[in-house]
Amino acid sequence: MTDSATSRQQALQRRDSEFDVLVIGGGIVGAGVARDAALRGLRIALVEQADFASGTSSRSSRLLHGGLRYLEQGEIALVREASKEKMLLSRLAPHLSQPLPFVFPSWNGSGRPLWKLAVGTQLYELICGGWNPRLASIWSAKRLLAEIPGLRREDLGGGVRYLDALTNDARLVIDTLRSAHQGGALLLNYVRFESSDRSGGKWHCSVRDVLSEKTLELRAKTVVNAAGAWASGLPHSRVRLRLTKGAHIVADRSRLPVPAAVVLSQGDRILFVIPWGERVILGTTDTEYTGDPSDVRTEASDVEYILEVVNSAFPRIGLTRADLISSWAGVRPLIAPETNSTEAPSDISRKHEIRVAEPGWIDVAGGKLTTYRLMAEQVVDQLGNFLDAKLPRSRTATTPILALADRSFSGVLPPPLAADVVRRCCRDEWAIHLDDILLRRTSWHFYHSNQSEIARTVAPWMADELGWDAAQTQGELERYFRTAEFIAP
Ligand code: FAD
């Protein structure tokens, strides 16, 4: 049995555990809270109902960004805050922050004229102070056509260039959790929070091990609800969310050989063409979502919309569904506006909210991948009001996030397909199912077109490591194929 499997079992068998804080949700926000609290010396446990990062935090556009678009909405403080965090992360986790130039073309009559983009990018750099590298420039139509092959020539007025960064969302969660674990945090995936009561100054929380179907109680002085799109459904929660869905598709970069990310404007919305090694990520959509967050998937209409926008900007490439290597869709847990507003999904604020719902119970919701460290710091500061001892200050802005010693397996691109990588995911990164590795620890499922072959290669490696027999191995393959089929458009 692997180290992480042994410690999971031991933790679940212990009945005497009492924690300073129990975090519900193993996405980027929960992971950030776990790391911050552990670095301040708190006794912390985190429960995640499925795999770590299996919610929204493995389904983003994978950008660390201030959010140029939010300037249009007057969200200057948000852009400033996110830009500062973006630059901090580039120092704390350089393996997960790859500088990425963006080119934003403007076609005459498109609604975002060149002067507006030029003012926007200058402002973007200005309000970010020294945090954003000063690289913004204005490009003529001629230069754009020379630098971005295949771009629609007709009515092209020019464009702007600026800089943000590419990350790997799921790896950011895993490496943040590894850092929390190093600081003593107990991290349990496939354990669902079910209910809790407060008595004697403590929260008595009932959690269910999804793998064994056993229920156990964890006691904690405080609880943090970091359940993302699920946060409003938890008992005691006072979170009010408005959910919107975003889908991405992945194609081979040879079909769209862009040297930089390209921003395509479509009405209020914008869509990115993001170079990702030998692939390009195309997205995202932004539509109202009212279903169960666990059921979100890319629909055929999402694919059609993305292809239409991309083909209109690059008329000669003729991208079709046959070019799709993979896709993913996620739900944005946005804070619902106070009044019953009819704001378009892309206009809803990306701000976060931290609220004390009951003594010792803190809800945190909204925000962005980019701002998770700050959100976590603010949450743990609030926890201090419910703990006996004075809390030390947060150390997360100065303590690096753990990278792997093997540099081939860290960073924004998937690692090479090799047995030792798998082994490591099981031993040190809490991988339990085949899809934990293919979809989240490595992104192999999203990057490669021969997914079935890869699954059949990796399953025996995991079987060796985790002691699966032939039936279990087959069961894991079937589980993965079901998941892959469900998320495919
Ligand atoms: P999640 O990652 O969803 O984590 C919550 C977790 O709680 C889930 O894993 C869930 O399983 C778990 N949970 C729920 N209920 C329970 C329970 N009862 N017990 C135990 N666990 C439970 N941000 C950026 O900065 N850059 C981007 O490029 C970007 N692009 C985006 C693109 C799209 C399409 C979307 C949807 C979002 C994007 N975002 C981006 C936003 C960012 O991804 C989210 O803000 C962030 O991932 C939310 O993290 P979270 O931890 O709050 O939620």
Side-chain angles (χ1 to χ4, degrees), residues 406-447:
D406 176 356
R407 296 284 160 176
S408 67
F409 183 48
S410 58
V412 299
L413 292 179
L417 186 68
D420 63 324
V421 172
V422 177
R423 214 171 294 134
R424 195 163 43 220
C425 294
C426 297
R427 285 186 189 171
D428 305 330
E429 301 186 350
W430 313 279
I432 288 176
H433 290 296
L434 181 57
D435 50 285
D436 296 348
I437 290 189
L438 298 182
L439 272 70
R440 288 169 290 276
R441 305 295 181 290
T442 65
S443 290
W444 285 331
H445 168 85
F446 298 109
Y447 196 79

Side-chain angles (χ1 to χ4, degrees), residues 373-399:
R373 190 212 61 82
L374 179 68
M375 292 167 74
E377 178 180 329
Q378 293 172 350
V379 167
V380 181
D381 282 347
Q382 293 257 2
L383 290 179
N385 299 328
F386 303 97
L387 298 170
D388 311 326
K390 190 170 180 302
L391 264 189
R393 288 164 75 102
S394 173
R395 290 171 45 212
T396 55
T398 49
T399 311

Side-chain angles (χ1 to χ4, degrees), residues 41-115:
L42 296 180
R43 281 169 307 152
I44 166 152
L46 178 149
V47 291
E48 162 56 51
Q49 64 181 354
D51 186 23
F52 298 128
S54 59
T56 308
S57 300
S58 57
R59 296 141 183 265
S60 78
S61 303
R62 301 185 172 215
L63 301 177
L64 297 176
H65 61 159
L68 178 64
R69 193 172 67 78
Y70 308 133
L71 284 182
E72 271 183 339
Q73 299 156 357
E75 299 258 30
I76 294 195
L78 179 71
V79 175
R80 218 177 132 77
E81 185 175 276
S83 297
K84 191 175 168 189
E85 288 301 311
K86 172 185 80 170
M87 293 314 293
L88 246 183
L89 282 172
S90 72
R91 290 204 293 275
L92 299 174
H95 64 298
L96 292 174
S97 172
Q98 179 184 297
L100 181 65
F102 282 69
V103 174
F104 198 151
S106 167
W107 283 275
N108 299 328
S110 69
R112 285 193 174 93
L114 187 57
W115 68 263

Side-chain angles (χ1 to χ4, degrees), residues 31 57 70 93 101 111 124 148 179 226 261 265 295 301-302 309 314 324 335 352 364 367 402 404 422 458 488:
S57 300
Y70 308 133
Y124 194 49
I148 314 287
S179 307
S265 173
D295 292 341
S301 55
D302 299 320
V309 177
F314 294 88
L324 246 75
I335 302 295
H352 64 267
V364 50
L402 274 187
L404 287 169
V422 177
V458 176

Side-chain angles (χ1 to χ4, degrees), residues 23-32 46-66 70 82 165 167 169 173 188 190-195 207-208 225-231 233-235 244-248 272 274 283-286 293-294 328-334 350 364-372 375:
V23 178
I24 305 166
I28 193 66
V29 176
L46 178 149
V47 291
E48 162 56 51
Q49 64 181 354
D51 186 23
F52 298 128
S54 59
T56 308
S57 300
S58 57
R59 296 141 183 265
S60 78
S61 303
R62 301 185 172 215
L63 301 177
L64 297 176
H65 61 159
Y70 308 133
T167 188
D169 48 11
V173 175
L188 297 168
Y190 296 99
V191 172
R192 182 184 303 123
F193 166 87
E194 295 203 316
S195 60
V207 301
R208 192 166 182 81
N225 169 9
W230 293 261
L234 258 50
T244 76
K245 174 182 143 182
H248 293 84
F272 297 111
I274 302 168
T284 174
T285 58
D286 199 348
S294 305
W328 63 82
V331 177
R332 297 178 186 84
L334 305 177
R350 268 54 177 169
V364 50
K368 290 153 59 67
L369 197 74
T370 312
T371 51
Y372 87 97
M375 292 167 74

Side-chain angles (χ1 to χ4, degrees), residues 254-320:
S254 61
R255 296 284 287 115
L256 199 49
V258 285
V262 182
V263 190
L264 303 176
S265 173
Q266 178 77 358
D268 271 359
R269 289 151 65 169
I270 57 174
L271 194 135
F272 297 111
V273 175
I274 302 168
W276 183 41
E278 293 171 4
R279 314 280 177 254
V280 277
I281 300 171
L282 310 171
T284 174
T285 58
D286 199 348
T287 49
E288 207 75 56
Y289 187 77
T290 51
D292 181 336
S294 305
D295 292 341
V296 66
R297 51 179 294 183
T298 313
E299 305 286 344
S301 55
D302 299 320
V303 177
E304 273 159 34
Y305 170 79
I306 295 171
L307 291 179
E308 194 182 307
V309 177
V310 173
N311 283 329
S312 157
F314 294 88
R316 291 202 302 275
I317 58 164
L319 214 60
T320 69

